[in-house]
Amino acid sequence: MGLTKQYLRYAASAVFGVIGSQKANISYVTLRGGERGRYVAVAACEHVFIWDVRKAEKVLILKGSKHEVTFLCPSPDGIHIAVGYEDGAVRVFSLLNGESNVSFNGHKSAVTVIRYDALGARLVTGSRDTDVIVWDIINECGLYRLKGHKDAVTQALFLKDKNLLVTSSKDSFVKWWDLDTQHCFKTMVGHRSEVWGMVLLNKENRLLTGSADSELRAWDIKYLEEEKAEGEPQVKKGKSLLDDDDEGNEEDESPEERILSCQKAGSLLREARDRVVSLTADAKARVIACHGNDSVLEIFTVLSEDEVEKKMAKKLKKAKKKAAKAEDTAEDPVVQKMLKDEILRLTNIKASAKIRWVDCLSCAGGELKVVLLLQNNTVETYSLKTLDKTPTANKTARLTLGGHRTDARTLAFSSDNMAVLSASGDTVKVWNRSTLQVIRTMACEYALCSLFVPGDRQIILGTKSGKLQVFELASGSLLETVDAHDGALWSLCLAPDQRGIMTGGADKTVKFWEFELIKDQQTGHKRLTVKHTRTLQLEEDVLCVKFSPDHRLLAVSLLDCTVKVFYTDTLKFFLSLYGHKLPVLCLDISHDSTLIATGSADRNVKIWGLDFGDCHRSMFAHDDSVMFLQFVPKTHLFFTAGKDKKIKQWDADKFEHIQTLEGHHREVWCLAISPNGDHIVSSSHDKSLRLWERTREPIILEEEREMEREAEFEEGMAKGEEPVVPGETQGEAAPAGKKTIETVKAAERIMEALELYREENRKMEEHKYACENAGKQLPPPKTNPILEAFGSISPSRYVLDIIKKVKSSELEVSLLVLPFPYVPDLLTLFNSYVQQGLEVELVCRCLFFLLRIHFGQISSNQMLLSVIDELKTNTVSKVHEIRDVLGFNGAGLQFLQREMESKEDVMFFADATGRLDEKKKKRRKRQRAVLTIA
């Protein structure tokens, strides 16, 4: 048997050319030892890039897997950043080393908002699936899911001092949640359309919401007396779960039942007429930034209470003067406090393009730093002094170099495999393939096709206006612009003898050009130009042209869905390849000039013989138009790129699909294969360029198909229903986790461990029985190899190890999937663990959850009564012990602190910072006094 054909795997190597993706917001972050306002985090497809805006370089990449990033939120301590993804997952990364240790899976679709509470111990996430989930970061698990919104959640905010949460949604409602009882106690219905943004101001006594019109609505929040609220939520919880909604609503209307009241305080008018795209405030909520779908950012400032009082006093004075002048002695004038007295328009910032997201940061000396993520793959930063009478914003940085403003429509490799050319609607860039740095950026017209001139010193672009543009790389200058076609110049092809090029355009012609060196009039040096030699006139627009590598034939794809083949020397017609139902957008000829592959908008790829024009095979290639097709040099393998976001590799001899390269999140426009076939670069509508590398790993096609089927099954698993706890009615609160392939695998591992434990117990019982029968001690049975691999541990310890390895966030859902027959064994094991004091906290968590979900079956099982009784006494005593140890340690630490303070006369922690602030204030006062005297 001969050797089978070996295919090598291409693997994703890097993502470049993207500065910031539109999907997710932009956020200021602080890196260790770095100054505030210097680093920003933006999403870049599935990764997160941390940019140093001063040096305009990437300092850290937080790597994602395959889903796009949709939201970012740095933690209050600045050490972590929570990242939400398109599939509903949330991962918490460390900004110190870029690693992610905590991940949460609860949402069914994209995460739309993430917020930390003031301590950074809890995280709230809202999603397009309308759910709000609160997560415990320290315990790494979900606390609960809050249901109530009818559309995507747009904002969620924790209140600092009270255990309340406020959420807004596209369903036009703002909901207030009591987190002690996990129920919605208030729904604000004062908006007529979607609520797109929301901020809390004035020490959380005012709420500002942005909607689909030009008003920013303000609401005064009054917290009612604690006595009134005490004991009330329990009653309410019972009602909202048991009674129907109508009664709940009626009850919600009675004022004495509420925890707080919201009154509309007025509204601010924005200059923009369209919807609020994003609304944000700085950390102290003194400055509000807001923008619509245009390029203007509006900045407002919130006055402090003292400033408002001063302003009102001035107003009153003015009114009194006016009254005195009018000699109105009736009564004292009254001045009404309006919203515009408390929130003032500071200034507007005009960005260079439409704004997508904004973040702001207040720094020392009243400086405000603003960072904007624009819709054209640019990040801009501005600085303004808020204390000035008329503050003006200064642009401090602009990140543009590392990517194109519009999609790159054409790519080309240099002949030494080292340089990559990408050209978009306004610029052409040349990148170093190994470092992915931009070597040259040159302004050009809208480019559609490109190539490196032999020698790699010049490049030629074909443009939408039908021109050929010749650039020199050494100087980065445009050498010449040639009017080649009357319509768009769709395709360029280098002649196999490397002496010229062929162009095809929308004016129904194919033109042939030769390279020439001419003397430049201005410099006197020789420079490259192209000379028009021949024209081939056709009946239809030309979409793609290609020479056969032996220079004998040329293939032209036309708008009438056919491909015509001509002889190169005489331009006589040779073959017509027809069969595609829609125009052929791309074609390529193999290195030995025997095969031609064509890709069409009808989603099919056809492989033809060039001898007789016979169609060897037609293959359904992509789920949308095939945009690009190219053979790997010196092989009969080729790659296709489609509008379905995929790149696929095919074998043109065996008509096999070899592999799919998935990574792009939007339509793939084009790709380029390096001359040695080791690298591929692809460009997409998601603004990213991706580099793929050929590895040494062979592909076995059957395995590849099997893996695809498995991935499909796993995806179906994740789309399953939410876990339902038996005996619990569906209310506003639900469990936070969701069933994924990981939770199913974890449950299977626990089941396998329990099977092994049962098996070992059975062996030991049989051994004991055999010893009794024989009347002497027999050699013990052989232990399971798995237990030996774990260091000859006991079966019960092995079960505990397996449970410990389950991710904290997946533990509950894994136990929920576990069938009941395994529960009795688990309960007896839990009893022994608690007695030995092993992992008491973890065991208690599992125990309480199992008791909750299997309560009926456990309580009706006589065999388990004794176990439960033992568990009750053991767990209570052990938990008391742990609590005592914690209390003792806490008291010990406080004692040590007091001892050290009395010895060294040093203040610790909170007191020390307070004292330092006081000292600074005194020093400033002294300096001011000195200045006034001077």
Side-chain angles (χ1 to χ4, degrees), residues 189-295:
V189 291
H191 301 89
R192 290 189 187 84
S193 52
E194 299 97 330
V195 181
W196 288 103
M198 176 170 74
V199 287
L200 283 164
L201 311 171
N202 301 5
K203 298 180 184 159
E204 302 184 340
N205 286 321
R206 170 159 294 155
L207 186 70
L208 194 69
T209 57
S211 186
D213 50 23
S214 56
E215 274 183 54
L216 292 179
R217 291 170 178 79
W219 310 81
D220 279 335
I221 304 165
K222 297 241 178 357
Y223 300 99
L224 302 185
E225 301 306 310
E226 296 299 322
E227 300 88 64
K228 246 184 228 177
E230 225 168 80
E232 169 263 334
Q234 276 75 17
V235 181
K236 230 168 151 181
K237 186 181 180 194
K239 273 215 172 177
S240 63
L241 288 176
L242 300 171
D243 296 355
D244 57 86
D245 295 347
D246 299 358
E247 284 182 50
N249 286 353
E250 277 172 35
E251 186 215 27
D252 197 30
E253 290 309 308
S254 63
E256 65 275 3
E257 285 286 298
R258 290 199 197 124
I259 296 168
L260 52 83
S261 69
C262 277
Q263 240 70 47
K264 190 169 177 188
S267 55
L268 289 176
L269 277 177
R270 294 162 49 230
E271 285 178 5
R273 290 273 162 268
D274 54 352
R275 78 170 180 90
V276 170
V277 173
S278 76
L279 172 68
T280 183
D282 66 333
K284 291 194 173 71
R286 295 298 308 276
V287 177
I288 309 162
C290 161
H291 67 89
N293 265 319
D294 52 10
S295 58

Side-chain angles (χ1 to χ4, degrees), residues 575-784:
L575 293 168
S576 178
L577 313 176
Y578 54 88
H580 281 293
K581 294 182 179 65
L582 288 168
V584 173
L585 303 176
C586 49
L587 58 91
D588 199 12
I589 299 174
S590 64
H591 69 104
D592 52 8
S593 305
T594 56
L595 297 174
I596 177 169
T598 58
S600 160
D602 65 8
R603 314 177 198 182
N604 290 304
V605 165
K606 290 184 193 285
I607 297 163
W608 319 74
L610 260 185
D611 298 332
F612 311 106
D614 53 326
C615 181
H616 291 185
R617 182 65 63 94
S618 178
M619 299 181 291
F620 182 72
H622 290 269
D623 297 330
D624 208 331
S625 306
V626 183
M627 296 304 294
F628 204 85
L629 184 153
Q630 193 180 345
F631 274 98
V632 178
K634 302 186 177 54
T635 67
H636 277 185
L637 309 178
F638 63 92
F639 279 93
T640 57
K643 273 190 172 180
D644 61 353
K645 314 173 194 175
K646 294 185 177 74
I647 297 167
K648 296 186 180 182
Q649 189 186 15
W650 309 83
D651 184 340
D653 293 331
K654 296 193 173 162
F655 317 118
E656 296 257 34
H657 169 215
I658 301 163
Q659 67 167 332
T660 304
L661 304 180
E662 290 192 54
H664 282 295
H665 301 288
R666 295 284 177 284
E667 301 91 326
V668 185
W669 298 129
C670 57
L671 55 88
I673 303 176
S674 63
N676 60 10
D678 281 345
H679 296 92
I680 300 172
V681 172
S682 56
S683 159
S684 159
H685 186 40
D686 61 16
K687 299 276 197 304
S688 71
L689 302 174
R690 281 170 195 263
L691 183 67
W692 313 81
E693 251 171 40
R694 183 158 60 187
T695 60
R696 312 294 334 138
E697 180 198 343
I699 288 181
I700 291 99
L701 292 182
E702 286 76 26
E703 274 184 22
E704 199 70 7
R705 297 299 90 83
E706 182 63 34
M707 274 156 65
E708 278 172 24
R709 282 194 293 274
E710 267 180 28
E712 215 168 282
F713 168 71
E714 287 182 14
E715 213 149 274
M717 279 287 316
K719 285 193 175 77
E721 283 304 301
E722 273 171 35
V724 177
V725 177
E728 290 196 4
T729 52
Q730 277 287 314
E732 285 177 327
K738 75 167 181 181
K739 183 176 163 189
T740 61
I741 197 73
E742 278 78 26
T743 58
V744 175
K745 282 178 180 168
E748 280 173 2
R749 283 198 296 274
I750 296 172
M751 277 146 67
E752 281 165 15
L754 286 167
E755 295 280 1
L756 186 144
Y757 165 76
R758 284 175 182 171
E759 186 61 29
E760 291 298 301
N761 271 7
R762 194 181 53 73
K763 273 196 219 163
M764 291 312 291
E765 288 290 326
E766 283 174 7
H767 172 66
K768 193 173 158 193
Y769 185 64
C771 289
E772 279 172 11
N773 279 1
K776 60 176 180 181
Q777 195 63 29
L778 296 171
K782 203 165 182 292
T783 55
N784 193 304

Side-chain angles (χ1 to χ4, degrees), residues 131-395:
D131 289 352
V132 175
I133 301 182
V134 181
W135 307 91
D136 181 342
I137 289 186
I138 295 161
N139 201 14
E140 294 180 20
C141 69
L143 294 173
Y144 36 80
R145 177 191 303 266
L146 302 171
K147 298 163 154 304
H149 282 298
K150 301 281 184 288
D151 206 337
V153 180
T154 54
Q155 183 62 288
L157 302 165
F158 280 110
L159 270 71
K160 278 198 186 76
D161 310 324
K162 303 190 166 43
N163 198 16
L164 304 177
L165 176 75
V166 55
T167 59
S168 67
S169 161
K170 281 166 69 175
D171 61 7
S172 83
F173 298 135
V174 172
K175 283 182 178 285
W176 289 84
W177 306 84
D178 181 350
L179 296 183
D180 293 325
T181 55
Q182 294 132 48
H183 79 292
C184 170
F185 65 86
K186 183 168 190 58
T187 300
M188 290 163 58
V189 291
H191 301 89
R192 290 189 187 84
S193 52
E194 299 97 330
V195 181
W196 288 103
M198 176 170 74
V199 287
L200 283 164
L201 311 171
N202 301 5
K203 298 180 184 159
E204 302 184 340
N205 286 321
R206 170 159 294 155
L207 186 70
L208 194 69
T209 57
S211 186
D213 50 23
S214 56
E215 274 183 54
L216 292 179
R217 291 170 178 79
W219 310 81
D220 279 335
I221 304 165
K222 297 241 178 357
Y223 300 99
L224 302 185
E225 301 306 310
E226 296 299 322
E227 300 88 64
K228 246 184 228 177
E230 225 168 80
E232 169 263 334
Q234 276 75 17
V235 181
K236 230 168 151 181
K237 186 181 180 194
K239 273 215 172 177
S240 63
L241 288 176
L242 300 171
D243 296 355
D244 57 86
D245 295 347
D246 299 358
E247 284 182 50
N249 286 353
E250 277 172 35
E251 186 215 27
D252 197 30
E253 290 309 308
S254 63
E256 65 275 3
E257 285 286 298
R258 290 199 197 124
I259 296 168
L260 52 83
S261 69
C262 277
Q263 240 70 47
K264 190 169 177 188
S267 55
L268 289 176
L269 277 177
R270 294 162 49 230
E271 285 178 5
R273 290 273 162 268
D274 54 352
R275 78 170 180 90
V276 170
V277 173
S278 76
L279 172 68
T280 183
D282 66 333
K284 291 194 173 71
R286 295 298 308 276
V287 177
I288 309 162
C290 161
H291 67 89
N293 265 319
D294 52 10
S295 58
V296 178
L297 177 76
E298 300 179 48
I299 298 177
F300 299 90
T301 180
V302 183
L303 299 182
S304 63
E305 283 175 21
D306 305 343
E307 289 168 324
V308 174
E309 289 304 318
K310 277 181 195 166
K311 200 170 179 189
M312 295 318 291
K314 266 187 194 170
K315 261 195 168 181
L316 193 60
K317 210 173 178 184
K318 235 182 194 176
K320 277 181 179 169
K321 260 189 191 173
K322 215 174 181 184
K325 268 185 190 170
E327 293 170 3
D328 228 357
T329 49
E331 71 250 2
D332 282 350
V334 181
V335 179
Q336 200 70 39
K337 188 158 74 169
M338 310 279 282
L339 188 68
K340 59 172 188 254
D341 298 324
E342 299 175 57
I343 302 175
L344 306 178
R345 179 183 295 279
L346 198 59
T347 184
N348 285 359
I349 296 178
K350 180 92 169 85
S352 60
K354 286 184 178 178
I355 305 171
R356 190 64 195 83
W357 294 99
V358 59
D359 195 22
C360 51
L361 184 70
S362 290
C363 300
E367 187 193 4
L368 179 73
K369 290 183 176 175
V370 177
V371 63
L372 304 175
L373 174 62
L374 306 182
Q375 289 194 2
N376 64 353
N377 196 26
T378 310
V379 170
E380 289 185 346
T381 61
Y382 293 85
S383 160
L384 59 109
K385 295 266 187 288
T386 52
L387 303 177
D388 293 358
K389 268 276 189 296
T390 52
T392 51
N394 302 315
K395 191 183 287 188

Side-chain angles (χ1 to χ4, degrees), residues 804-876:
K804 263 164 68 181
K805 279 179 188 158
V806 178
K807 267 193 192 165
S808 179
S809 57
E810 292 166 0
L811 187 62
E812 269 89 359
V813 188
S814 303
L815 291 172
L816 193 56
V817 178
L818 203 68
F820 182 74
Y822 292 96
V823 172
D825 286 342
L826 261 182
L827 293 179
T828 41
L829 280 169
F830 286 167
N831 196 14
S832 69
Y833 298 151
V834 170
Q835 277 172 325
Q836 295 165 50
L838 301 170
E839 302 290 337
V840 179
E841 278 185 60
L842 176 71
V843 168
C844 284
R845 190 177 151 194
C846 296
L847 170 65
F848 299 149
F849 185 72
L850 286 175
L851 287 176
R852 198 176 115 204
I853 58 172
H854 296 300
F855 178 77
Q857 282 164 295
I858 291 172
S859 53
S860 60
N861 190 334
Q862 290 299 316
M863 307 283 285
L864 288 176
L865 280 179
S866 55
V867 182
I868 295 290
D869 222 32
E870 270 184 65
L871 267 169
K872 183 179 152 192
T873 48
N874 292 339
T875 29
V876 170

Side-chain angles (χ1 to χ4, degrees), residues 465-468 482-487 489 503 507 509 511 513:
S465 56
K467 296 185 176 71
L468 278 174
V482 181
D483 289 321
H485 291 268
D486 293 336
L489 199 159
T503 62
D507 59 356
T509 58
K511 294 188 178 179
W513 310 77

Side-chain angles (χ1 to χ4, degrees), residues 442-674:
M442 297 159 281
C444 67
E445 290 189 27
Y446 198 119
L448 295 174
C449 48
S450 61
L451 53 82
F452 277 91
V453 175
D456 296 338
R457 289 184 184 171
Q458 294 90 7
I459 56 172
I460 295 183
L461 301 182
T463 72
K464 202 172 182 175
S465 56
K467 296 185 176 71
L468 278 174
Q469 293 193 308
V470 186
F471 291 89
E472 182 160 44
L473 286 185
S475 61
S477 60
L478 174 64
L479 292 180
E480 189 178 10
T481 300
V482 181
D483 289 321
H485 291 268
D486 293 336
L489 199 159
W490 286 114
S491 184
L492 270 178
C493 181
L494 185 68
D497 60 5
Q498 303 206 331
R499 289 184 182 170
I501 56 170
M502 164 171 63
T503 62
D507 59 356
K508 307 181 184 177
T509 58
V510 174
K511 294 188 178 179
F512 298 83
W513 310 77
E514 274 182 3
F515 295 132
E516 261 194 359
L517 283 173
I518 57 163
K519 207 166 200 181
D520 198 308
Q521 301 296 324
Q522 285 131 4
T523 59
H525 295 304
K526 284 193 170 180
R527 67 167 178 82
L528 182 91
T529 183
V530 285
K531 185 175 121 196
H532 179 216
T533 55
R534 297 189 291 170
T535 303
L536 172 62
Q537 186 66 44
L538 294 152
E539 280 79 65
E540 292 282 345
D541 289 14
V542 177
L543 296 178
C544 189
V545 291
K546 217 32 143 232
F547 278 113
S548 67
D550 60 6
H551 210 181
R552 192 171 74 92
L553 304 167
L554 63 98
V556 181
S557 119
L558 301 172
L559 203 58
D560 64 0
C561 313
T562 63
V563 174
K564 301 270 196 288
V565 184
F566 298 88
Y567 289 104
T568 307
D569 46 5
T570 60
L571 297 185
K572 286 238 172 79
F573 174 74
F574 172 47
L575 293 168
S576 178
L577 313 176
Y578 54 88
H580 281 293
K581 294 182 179 65
L582 288 168
V584 173
L585 303 176
C586 49
L587 58 91
D588 199 12
I589 299 174
S590 64
H591 69 104
D592 52 8
S593 305
T594 56
L595 297 174
I596 177 169
T598 58
S600 160
D602 65 8
R603 314 177 198 182
N604 290 304
V605 165
K606 290 184 193 285
I607 297 163
W608 319 74
L610 260 185
D611 298 332
F612 311 106
D614 53 326
C615 181
H616 291 185
R617 182 65 63 94
S618 178
M619 299 181 291
F620 182 72
H622 290 269
D623 297 330
D624 208 331
S625 306
V626 183
M627 296 304 294
F628 204 85
L629 184 153
Q630 193 180 345
F631 274 98
V632 178
K634 302 186 177 54
T635 67
H636 277 185
L637 309 178
F638 63 92
F639 279 93
T640 57
K643 273 190 172 180
D644 61 353
K645 314 173 194 175
K646 294 185 177 74
I647 297 167
K648 296 186 180 182
Q649 189 186 15
W650 309 83
D651 184 340
D653 293 331
K654 296 193 173 162
F655 317 118
E656 296 257 34
H657 169 215
I658 301 163
Q659 67 167 332
T660 304
L661 304 180
E662 290 192 54
H664 282 295
H665 301 288
R666 295 284 177 284
E667 301 91 326
V668 185
W669 298 129
C670 57
L671 55 88
I673 303 176
S674 63

